[in-house]
C-alpha cells in the first residue's frame, strides 16, 4: 500500500522526462543557475531514442547522444528515477515512486514526455504475440533481449528499417519486412525535398540506411496492403497483398509500426491546448516559438509538442530552459534573445528538412482503412464498424462519437483510440467534420490505485469523504 505523500524540496524548474529534450533542458537551465529536478518514469536516462546509452554499447546511437548524456550527468540536476507524474495542483506536481506518493513544488514545469507509436488498427492486432516495433527496439536497447523464433516487421517509417538492422546485428534477423509505404509516395514527397538542401546529413543518413538494409538481404515486400494478423488465440503469422499477389507468412510474433505521435496525455490532462494537424494526422500542442504552452508556468519541449526527432528535441529543450531562465529573472531579455537566436535559426533549418520525412512516411495503417471488425477501442471493446455507424447516424465531431460509442472512456482515456477515432471521422465526413478538438482528459493523467489517490491528499485538509 502506498505511503503517505512526501514533500520534496522546492525547485525552480521541474522537467518531466529524461530523454533528449529533457536532458538538454536540464543542462541549459543549470547553466543559468536554476535549481532543476528531473522526474522520469524510467530507471535510466535517455528516453526511447537514447535508451541504454549509459550502459554497455550494443546498438548504434547518434553521435550527439553520448556527449548529451555525459553533460546531463555532470550538470548537477537532481534526477528522480521511476517517478510517474500524474497530476498538477497549482505549482505542485504529484507523482509516485515505488509505491510512495510524492509532491514537488516548482516555479516552472517543462514537459519532455517524448513520443509514442501511433496506434495501428487492423484485423487481429490485439492478439497475443502482436507488439510494436518500438517495443522490440526498447527491449534490445534496455535489456539486450531479442525475439526468439520467427517474427516479421510490418508498417512504414525509418524505425522499421533501423530496428531490423539493429536486431540483425544482434543475431536475430526478422523473417521479412512488410513495407506499407504506398507506390508513388516517394515521387509525391519530392515537393518537400528542397528542405533537405540545408540538412544534407539527414539525406545521407537515410541513404545509408537503405544501402545497409539491401546488404543485410532481409526479404522486403513493398507497397503492401490489406494486412491482417493470422491466428485465433495468438498471432500465427501475417497475411497481406503485395505486387498483385496474396501472401501469408507464418510467424509467432508480428511487430507493427506506423510512425510516432506526441505523447501528450500528461500535457492535455494539465489543461494545455492542442490542435488537430491534418497533414500529420495527429494532434500538436499549442505552443509559442519559445515552446510555452497555453497554460501558465508550463513549457512543452521535443516530440511531446510535435514530432521532430531526437536532435531537434534537444533544441526545443534548450529553448524552453532559456525562456524559463528569462521568466525567473536569471536572464535579461537581451541576453535571452542573444542566446536563443542561433538555436531558433538551427531549429527552423532542420524543420524544413523534416517536412520531407513527414510526407514520405505519412500514416498507412489508419483505422479509416481498416475492416469493420477490427477493434478500435480496446478498453471499451468498440470495433471500427460501431464508430462508422455512429457517424452514419449523425455524429459529426469527436465528442459526439465518444458519447455515442464510449471510445476514450476507458482506463487509458483515449491514449490508444483517439487518433483512430479521428481518422475514421475524417475519412467518412471530410470537410463536414464539425469538431476535431481533443476529448478532455481527467486527472490522474495515468492509471493509479485508489490508495495512491488517497495518499496524495494526506495533510491537505480533506476528509475521508472528499479525498
Amino acid at each position: 500500500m502506498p505511503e503517505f505523500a512526501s514533500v520534496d524540496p522546492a525547485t525552480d524548474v521541474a522537467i518531466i522526462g529524461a530523454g533528449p529534450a529533457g536532458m538538454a533542458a536540464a543542462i541549459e537551465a543549470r547553466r543559468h543557475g536554476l535549481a532543476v529536478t528531473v522526474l522520469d518514469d524510467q530507471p535510466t536516462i535517455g528516453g526511447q531514442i537514447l535508451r541504454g546509452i549509459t550502459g554497455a554499447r550494443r546498438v548504434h546511437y547518434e553521435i550527439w547522444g553520448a556527449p548529451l548524456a555525459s553533460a546531463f550527468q555532470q550538470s548537477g540536476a537532481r534526477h528522480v528515477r521511476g517517478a510517474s507524474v500524474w497530476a498538477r495542483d497549482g505549482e505542485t506536481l504529484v507523482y509516485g515512486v515505488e509505491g510512495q506518493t510524492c509532491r514537488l513544488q516548482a516555479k516552472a514545469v517543462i514537459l519532455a514526455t517524448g513520443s509514442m507509436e501511433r496506434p495501428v488498427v487492423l484485423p487481429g492486432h490485439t492478439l497475443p504475440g502482436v507488439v510494436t516495433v518500438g517495443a522490440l527496439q526498447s527491449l534490445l536497447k534496455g535489456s539486450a533481449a531479442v525475439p526468439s523464433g520467427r517474427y516479421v516487421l510490418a508498417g512504414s517509417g525509418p524505425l522499421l528499417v533501423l530496428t531490423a538492422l539493429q536486431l540483425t546485428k544482434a543475431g536475430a534477423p526478422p523473417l521479412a519486412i512488410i513495407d506499407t509505404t504506398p507506390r508513388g509516395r516517394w515521387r509525391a514527397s519530392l515537393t518537400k525535398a528542397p528542405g533537405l538542401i540545408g540538412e544534407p546529413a539527414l539525406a545521407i543518413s537515410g541513404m545509408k540506411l537503405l544501402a545497409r538494409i539491401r546488404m543485410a538481404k532481409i526479404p522486403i515486400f513493398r507497397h503492401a496492403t490489406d494486412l491482417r494478423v493470422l491466428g485465433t488465440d495468438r498471432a500465427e503469422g501475417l497475411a497481406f497483398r503485395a505486387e498483385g499477389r496474396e501472401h501469408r507468412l507464418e510467424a509467432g510474433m508480428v511487430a507493427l509500426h506506423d510512425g510516432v505521435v506526441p505523447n501528450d496525455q500528461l500535457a492535455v490532462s494539465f489543461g494545455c491546448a492542442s490542435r488537430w494537424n491534418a497533414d500529420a494526422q495527429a494532434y500538436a500542442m499549442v505552443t509559442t516559438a519559445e515552446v510555452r504552452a497555453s497554460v501558465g508556468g508550463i513549457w512543452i519541449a521535443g516530440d511531446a509538442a510535435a514530432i521532430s526527432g531526437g536532435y531537434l528535441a534537444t533544441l526545443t529543450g534548450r529553448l524552453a530552459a532559456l525562456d524559463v531562465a528569462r521568466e525567473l529573472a536569471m536572464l535579461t531579455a537581451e541576453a535571452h534573445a542573444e542566446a536563443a537566436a542561433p538555436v531558433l535559426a538551427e531549429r527552423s533549418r532542420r524543420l524544413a528538412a523534416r517536412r520531407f520525412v513527414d510526407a514520405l512516411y505519412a500514416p498507412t495503417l489508419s483505422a479509416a482503412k481498416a475492416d469493420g471488425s477490427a477493434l478500435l477501442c480496446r478498453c471499451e471493446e468498440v470495433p471500427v464498424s460501431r464508430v462508422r455507424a455512429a457517424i452514419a447516424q449523425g455524429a459529426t465531431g469527436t465528442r459526439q462519437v465518444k458519447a455515442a460509442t464510449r471510445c476514450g472512456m476507458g482506463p487509458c482515456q483515449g491514449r490508444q483510440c483517439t487518433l483512430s477515432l479521428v481518422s475514421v471521422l475524417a475519412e467518412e465526413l471530410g470537410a463536414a467534420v464539425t469538431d476535431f478538438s481533443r476529448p478532455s482528459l481527467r486527472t490522474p493523467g495515468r492509471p493509479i490505485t485508489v490508495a495512491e489517490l488517497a495518499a496524495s491528499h494526506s495533510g491537505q485538509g480533506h476528509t475521508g469523504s472528499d479525498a
Side-chain angles (χ1 to χ4, degrees):
M1 178 176 178
E3 301 175 15
F4 288 130
S6 67
V7 180
D8 292 355
T11 191
D12 291 324
V13 54
I15 300 171
I16 303 176
M23 288 192 290
I27 295 165
E28 191 69 44
R30 289 293 300 140
R31 187 177 292 134
H32 298 287
L34 295 171
V36 177
T37 297
V38 179
L39 305 172
D40 189 66
D41 60 4
Q42 296 299 312
T44 59
I45 63 174
Q48 172 62 13
I49 294 176
L50 301 178
R51 186 184 299 273
I53 196 166
T54 56
R57 303 295 175 84
R58 292 185 174 87
V59 297
H60 168 76
Y61 295 99
E62 298 290 345
I63 58 173
W64 48 265
L68 178 70
S70 177
F72 172 73
Q73 291 175 313
Q74 298 171 27
S75 68
R78 175 173 174 252
H79 177 211
V80 183
R81 297 172 174 83
S84 299
V85 180
W86 55 268
R88 181 174 185 250
D89 181 12
E91 290 189 350
T92 301
L93 293 172
V94 184
Y95 65 96
V97 178
E98 295 182 349
Q100 183 179 23
T101 303
C102 309
R103 302 172 73 89
L104 171 67
Q105 189 171 16
K107 298 173 185 176
V109 174
I110 298 176
L111 295 174
T113 49
S115 64
M116 56 176 274
E117 286 183 89
R118 180 187 299 275
V120 170
V121 177
L122 52 85
H125 74 286
T126 59
L127 285 171
V130 179
V131 299
T132 67
V133 172
L136 292 186
Q137 190 192 55
S138 294
L139 288 169
L140 174 64
K141 288 181 174 181
S143 307
V146 298
S148 60
R150 294 158 62 94
Y151 73 98
V152 296
L153 306 181
S156 178
L159 184 65
L160 205 71
V161 173
L162 178 60
T163 303
L165 290 169
Q166 291 171 338
L167 289 168
T168 299
K169 185 176 180 180
L175 175 66
I177 296 174
I178 294 84
D179 185 356
T180 57
T181 306
R183 187 184 303 277
R185 179 71 69 79
W186 275 91
R187 190 179 304 108
S189 302
L190 289 177
T191 57
K192 310 289 185 181
L196 292 172
I197 296 174
E199 188 56 32
L202 182 63
I204 293 171
S205 176
M207 289 186 287
K208 283 183 177 179
L209 272 181
L210 294 175
R212 288 172 59 199
I213 201 68
R214 282 194 292 268
M215 292 174 61
K217 297 182 179 179
I218 300 169
I220 301 177
F221 296 85
R222 301 191 185 279
H223 318 308
T225 60
D226 303 324
L227 276 65
R228 67 185 187 278
V229 179
L230 302 173
T232 52
D233 297 325
R234 63 163 294 110
E236 297 175 1
L238 188 70
F240 57 94
R241 186 173 181 81
E243 303 297 339
R245 293 177 51 202
E246 297 287 342
H247 299 268
R248 293 169 65 94
L249 299 180
E250 294 183 3
M253 179 179 290
V254 176
L256 303 173
H257 180 73
D258 199 26
V260 296
V261 295
N263 184 6
D264 59 6
Q265 187 120 344
L266 198 59
V268 175
S269 74
F270 284 2
C272 300
S274 63
R275 57 171 171 259
W276 176 250
N277 183 327
D279 291 335
Q281 295 184 43
Y283 288 95
M285 302 308 300
V286 176
T287 59
T288 65
E290 295 81 14
V291 295
R292 286 195 185 208
S294 61
V295 173
I298 296 180
W299 286 254
I300 309 177
D303 285 349
I307 300 302
S308 57
Y311 183 75
L312 265 162
T314 68
L315 300 182
T316 54
R318 291 179 60 192
L319 289 172
L322 286 169
D323 201 46
V324 169
R326 176 177 62 176
E327 179 78 6
L328 300 184
M330 301 298 284
L331 271 181
T332 65
E334 293 76 13
H336 171 267
E338 182 179 355
V343 185
L344 286 166
E346 184 179 5
R347 180 192 184 199
S348 177
R349 174 173 58 80
R350 289 179 178 270
L351 279 175
R354 178 77 198 185
R355 294 188 187 102
F356 171 75
V357 177
D358 293 341
L360 178 59
Y361 295 116
T364 59
L365 296 175
S366 164
K369 307 296 185 183
D371 183 271
S373 63
L375 205 59
L376 187 147
C377 175
R378 296 173 184 238
C379 297
E380 297 295 324
E381 299 184 346
V382 180
V384 173
S385 59
R386 194 181 305 170
V387 173
R388 288 179 179 144
I391 296 169
Q393 292 166 10
T396 59
T398 51
R399 288 182 171 84
Q400 291 178 329
V401 175
K402 179 179 179 180
T405 64
R406 294 190 57 82
C407 278
M409 293 187 184
C412 85
Q413 297 201 65
R415 177 186 176 91
Q416 292 294 325
C417 67
T418 295
L419 294 183
S420 299
L421 183 155
V422 176
S423 71
V424 176
L425 191 65
E427 177 74 12
E428 297 293 313
L429 295 181
V433 177
T434 60
D435 179 18
F436 274 120
S437 61
R438 176 75 179 262
S440 58
L441 299 176
R442 305 285 184 241
T443 297
R446 59 194 308 159
I448 61 171
T449 65
V450 173
E452 287 177 287
L453 182 62
S456 71
H457 288 72
S458 175
Q460 305 302 309
H462 293 273
T463 66
S465 61
D466 65 9

